[in-house]
Amino acid sequence: MSQTLAAVSGSVGSIGYGLAAIGPGVGIGIIFGNGTQALARQPEAAGLIRANQILGFAFCEALALIGLVMPFVYGT
C-alpha cells in the first residue's frame, strides 16, 4: 500500500539555484562591506584593496553563474 504525500512538479533545479544564489550574494556583501572598512582605515592602500575586492567579486560571481548553469546541465 503506497501513498503519495506530496508530488513535486516543475523544475527542482530552479529552486536549487534560488537557494544557491544566497551564498554568492552574502559573499559579495561581505567583500564590499569589509573593503569599505579597509578603505576607511587605510586610504593609502586603495589600489591593493580595490584589486582584491574585484578578484573576490569575480570568484563569487563565477560561483553564481555555475549555479545557474548546473540545473540546465543536469536537469531532466
Side-chain angles (χ1 to χ4, degrees):
M1 181 171 184
S2 173
Q3 292 181 343
T4 303
L5 296 176
V8 177
S9 63
S11 177
V12 179
S14 18
I15 295 171
Y17 172 67
L19 294 173
I22 295 170
V26 170
I28 290 170
I30 290 172
I31 288 169
F32 285 109
N34 289 337
T36 303
Q37 286 182 359
L39 284 170
R41 291 174 190 242
Q42 284 188 316
E44 65 273 5
L48 180 63
I49 294 168
R50 194 167 293 122
N52 287 334
Q53 277 183 322
I54 292 171
L55 187 63
F57 173 75
F59 286 143
C60 283
E61 196 63 31
L63 287 175
L65 291 175
I66 289 171
L68 175 67
V69 171
M70 284 304 123
F72 296 111
V73 172
Y74 294 113
T76 56

